[in-house]
Amino acid sequence: MEEKYLFYQLNRCTGCQLCVMACSLARSGVCGENESLISILTHPQFGTSQPIIEETCIWEQCDKQCVQVCSPGVLYLAEKKDWGGLLLKQHWNPVPVFVREEKQ
Ligand code: SF4
């Protein structure tokens, strides 16, 4: 199995949340931030947005619904052989990873 990782383009995310809804629907059949492995952070002062992914996203097999619904082309699920080239380009970054803490 080819190892893949989700990259994003800087300053392209509109914060529309379509990727969040698409991931959630594909995984659980409902629309909800808690069911999605991708989240969007929007800066409260500047309004800039960027995706982050839950750690599980790295290992879970999927049909990359988040990439498919993102019309500005922010997201790219890159094969390992392409990681080095993407990291050399200033506008591509690996999507940061977070660990979701269970609510008590
Ligand atoms: S990554 Fe794409 S689909 Fe997700 S919020 Fe940003 S623009 Fe929308």
Side-chain angles (χ1 to χ4, degrees):
M1 183 186 70
E2 179 68 45
E3 198 174 348
K4 295 181 179 176
Y5 195 85
L6 193 62
F7 281 70
Y8 77 105
Q9 291 199 71
L10 287 173
N11 303 324
R12 294 282 296 273
C13 178
T14 64
C16 70
Q17 304 271 345
L18 277 177
C19 54
V20 177
M21 295 303 110
C23 179
S24 167
L25 273 172
R27 296 186 72 240
S28 64
V30 298
C31 275
E33 289 182 13
N34 288 338
E35 286 75 22
S36 176
L37 296 180
I38 187 166
S39 297
I40 300 299
L41 293 178
T42 299
H43 194 284
Q45 191 168 2
F46 302 109
T48 52
S49 296
Q50 75 154 85
I52 57 173
I53 53 170
E54 199 171 317
E55 197 174 28
T56 312
C57 178
I58 298 171
W59 318 114
E60 193 163 298
Q61 291 294 302
C62 75
D63 56 357
K64 56 178 183 180
Q65 288 292 317
C66 60
V67 175
Q68 294 182 41
V69 298
C70 180
S71 53
V74 175
L75 300 169
Y76 179 57
L77 190 61
E79 294 181 2
K80 194 168 190 175
K81 65 180 173 54
D82 298 327
W83 295 354
L86 286 170
L87 288 169
L88 290 174
K89 295 179 180 169
Q90 285 191 341
H91 58 287
W92 283 106
N93 271 332
V95 175
V97 177
F98 73 100
V99 177
R100 190 188 298 272
E101 296 191 12
E102 295 296 324
K103 288 184 181 160
Q104 308 229 339

